[in-house]
Amino acid sequence: MSYPRISSFKTAGELRAYLTEAGIDLKLDDDLQVGADAPLAQPYRLANGFTIGNRFCVLPMEGWDGTADGRPSELTFRRWRRFGMSGAKLVWGGEAAAVRHDGRANPNQLLVSEKTLPDLAALREGLIAAHPGRTDDLYIGLQLTHSGRYSKPNDKKRGEPRILYHHPFLDRRMGIGPDTPVLTDDEIKRLIDDFIAAAQLAKRAGFAFVDIKHCHGYLGHEFLSAVDRPGLYGGSFENRTRFLREIVAGIRTSAPGLDIGVRVSAFDFIPYRKGAGDVGEPEPFTGKYRFAFGGDGTGLGIDLTEPKKFMDLLASLGIRMVCITASSPYYNPHLTRPATFPPSDGYLPPEEPLSGVARQIKVTADLKRYRPDLMVVGSAYTYLQEWLPNVAQRVVCEGDADFVGLGRMVLPYPEMCADVLAGRPLQTKLICRTFSDCTTGPRSGLVSGCYPLDDYYRQRPEAAQLKEMKRKPG
Ligand SMILES: Cc1cc2nc3c(=O)[nH]c(=O)nc-3n(C[C@H](O)[C@H](O)[C@H](O)COP(=O)(O)O)c2cc1C
């Protein structure tokens, strides 16, 4: 099944007609507004009094390009400078930074430690220096993570999973045997201390907030589906969120004044796999699928009862910022980041990618309407390509999200936000076409970047290696 290229829609009306025909509920504006009154240029006042200068947000994106001891490399600095150049006033986390070595998703992931502190501070400063215009309305956080079952701290090819429970599908896929131990409650307590220590370091490095990552299958997210886990950190909703509550309590005491946000996968499906013709299909399953936070038990549907409870919890903890994303790029890339071309470990789209975009926008809007007091950032807009700004403007006008988060688009085309805000035409040659090389690269042990469109990466030796690998799959 192939779907029309986004670039084939020459007017908003043409795209709208297609959406109607395809039964996809996604709204967009015909024209973009420019100037001080433009919806995307509106400042947003946070509960703590800080005013963020516009409604664009750079989503966290790592490059698998740090040093062995967890410091940024020149590639990392460049990426963060480009985040700054974008003109977006909210920088949600920069990229996942591990709170300790065993939680690194790859041996090149950033690590938050006393040793890396000056470099993390320099990353932030580089971003600010690259930002056009005033910078007192720029809000920059650091995403704190432990990669849980996806930890590969020492070798790009060797997983060293730290799991909370045995998962019926993911264990098998990842070669995790029944004897692999689950983290004990005491080990979790020590990990909570590491998150708190990392938050203190982030504050000293100058970050305005930390994101306690709860998405994409990593450890924080795994807590939310640990329904069978006995003990203090599994089973009831209260237990599954104890990890978050204890981290927040610790940060409030030991890093006062540091703001806290949470990026959460607000829904999840059963893992997908390659089916006939390499098109994605869900793992066959009978009975109730209980391991999807925000799932309805079928493995393929959404029930926001618990995600809403989670929003209530955030509000009760004094957390005012939430970034909504979905599922995991490891087992459901079509939900997390809709794309035309799959990454090397993915599958062809099982649905019109615009449905994936619309699904995240709808869930985000439902959650925003449920808790209008929370500042909500949406994700997964990149697939909209040239129509991203028109959908973004509509979303913000409708109050379906407070911020429009941009991920993949920022890699080749960071200035998209600045161009939209200034009313300049889009630079179509730089628009991300969702080739997924930014994911295939790291899956093949290479640094991540936009190899097809960013000259800097196009000219690197890895570009040729990637081409070769894609020619000879497997
Ligand atoms: C190369 C790459 C690296 C990413 N790294 C992170 C990360 O460190 N933390 C995170 O929460 N999400 C990460 N993401 C997910 C993005 O933040 C975002 O949710 C996703 O790409 C969908 O948004 P988009 O459609 O604008 O790309 C990454 C995505 C890509 C493509």
Side-chain angles (χ1 to χ4, degrees):
M1 183 75 184
S2 69
Y3 303 100
R5 295 278 155 101
I6 296 293
S7 57
S8 69
F9 300 112
K10 299 299 175 207
T11 64
E14 281 180 27
L15 174 54
R16 200 175 288 120
Y18 172 69
L19 290 167
T20 308
E21 184 194 312
I24 299 170
D25 184 14
L26 190 61
K27 299 190 181 72
L28 72 158
D29 283 345
D30 287 283
D31 300 306
L32 293 176
Q33 297 180 46
V34 190
D37 293 336
L40 292 165
Q42 292 314 297
Y44 184 93
R45 196 173 152 82
L46 285 169
N48 65 8
F50 191 93
T51 299
I52 304 176
N54 62 38
R55 301 309 184 94
F56 279 115
C57 167
V58 175
L59 296 174
M61 266 182 306
E62 26 165 354
W64 289 256
D65 51 16
T67 62
D69 56 354
R71 289 178 296 110
S73 65
E74 178 42 37
L75 292 177
T76 329
F77 278 108
R78 176 182 186 265
R79 187 170 54 259
W80 281 58
R81 283 196 298 274
R82 286 162 69 85
F83 290 170
M85 267 164 59
S86 72
K89 294 289 187 180
L90 176 60
V91 178
W92 188 285
E95 66 187 90
V99 299
R100 67 184 203 198
H101 179 73
D102 77 346
R104 293 168 87 185
N106 61 83
N108 301 97
Q109 187 169 50
L110 294 182
L111 190 60
V112 189
S113 72
E114 198 69 52
K115 204 165 141 198
T116 62
L117 180 78
D119 299 274
L120 297 176
L123 265 183
R124 178 185 155 276
E125 282 150 21
L127 185 157
I128 295 172
H131 186 72
R134 59 187 279 204
T135 57
D136 59 346
D137 56 355
L138 191 52
Y139 211 54
I140 309 169
L142 184 66
Q143 184 176 60
L144 302 183
T145 194
H146 185 291
S147 300
R149 67 173 59 235
Y150 296 103
S151 300
K152 283 186 185 167
N154 297 307
D155 181 333
K156 285 176 187 165
K157 297 209 169 94
R158 194 180 78 243
E160 297 179 44
R162 310 304 314 268
I163 57 172
L164 297 173
Y165 65 90
H166 285 281
H167 189 287
F169 298 112
L170 299 179
D171 278 20
R172 176 163 41 83
R173 273 189 192 194
M174 303 172 71
I176 297 175
D179 298 339
T180 302
V182 297
L183 281 170
T184 64
D185 285 3
D186 279 345
E187 285 174 314
I188 292 171
K189 285 191 173 60
R190 285 198 287 279
L191 180 56
I192 288 170
D193 290 340
D194 292 328
F195 266 86
I196 296 165
Q200 283 176 289
L201 291 167
K203 184 181 173 193
R204 277 171 53 202
F207 289 94
F209 71 97
V210 286
D211 164 26
I212 312 299
K213 184 172 186 176
H214 274 67
C215 60
H216 300 162
Y218 296 110
L219 198 77
H221 187 205
E222 185 156 314
F223 273 104
L224 299 179
S225 62
V227 287
D228 285 341
R229 186 188 159 93
L232 284 175
Y233 296 95
S236 66
F237 178 81
E238 202 205 342
N239 282 356
R240 284 179 280 128
T241 54
R242 189 183 303 280
F243 173 72
L244 173 65
R245 282 185 282 116
E246 293 185 352
I247 291 173
V248 171
I251 294 176
R252 296 278 188 237
T253 318
S254 57
L258 180 68
D259 206 357
I260 302 176
V262 172
R263 188 162 204 226
V264 61
S265 284
F267 64 90
D268 204 0
F269 283 8
I270 206 162
Y272 271 54
R273 61 180 193 184
K274 263 185 192 165
D278 287 349
V279 176
E281 63 174 26
E283 291 272 5
F285 187 74
T286 48
K288 193 168 159 82
Y289 183 70
R290 300 162 59 236
F291 307 102
F293 178 71
D296 68 357
T298 64
L300 297 172
I302 297 172
D303 177 351
L304 293 181
T305 308
E306 282 214 329
K308 285 179 177 168
K309 260 171 104 170
F310 191 74
M311 301 282 279
D312 290 337
L313 172 69
L314 296 183
S316 75
L317 294 172
I319 295 176
R320 296 278 167 237
M321 303 193 303
V322 57
C323 181
I324 304 297
T325 175
S327 196
S328 164
Y330 291 102
Y331 55 81
N332 277 331
H334 73 289
L335 298 181
T336 312
R337 32 174 115 133
T340 303
F341 307 96
S344 53
D345 59 348
Y347 42 76
L348 290 171
E351 63 178 0
E352 162 60 85
L354 286 167
S355 299
V357 176
R359 187 183 292 110
Q360 280 208 42
I361 289 179
K362 162 96 171 59
V363 164
T364 305
D366 287 351
L367 294 172
K368 173 68 196 173
R369 283 195 208 307
Y370 177 69
R371 279 305 310 207
D373 54 329
L374 297 187
M375 181 200 100
V376 173
V377 182
S379 308
Y381 289 84
T382 289
Y383 182 77
L384 292 163
Q385 302 164 53
E386 32 275 273
W387 297 105
L388 187 160
N390 302 60
V391 174
Q393 179 175 289
R394 187 58 181 260
V395 163
V396 168
C397 280
E398 300 267 329
D400 287 347
D402 299 303
F403 284 81
V404 170
L406 301 192
R408 291 163 294 177
M409 187 63 79
V410 176
L411 298 178
Y413 187 11
E415 309 89 335
M416 179 185 252
C417 316
D419 283 347
V420 169
L421 291 167
R424 292 188 289 264
L426 294 181
Q427 302 174 50
T428 45
K429 286 204 173 93
L430 296 181
I431 292 179
C432 170
R433 301 298 177 192
T434 67
F435 292 112
S436 291
D437 280 9
C438 53
T439 302
T440 297
R443 297 282 195 262
S444 321
L446 307 175
V447 294
S448 175
C450 185
Y451 292 96
L453 300 182
D454 181 351
D455 273 339
Y456 185 86
Y457 281 89
R458 216 181 347 223
Q459 283 159 20
R460 287 181 63 86
E462 290 94 337
Q465 277 174 268
L466 191 61
K467 221 176 192 169
E468 188 60 16
M469 283 172 190
K470 286 171 76 171
R471 231 167 37 84
K472 294 191 274 182

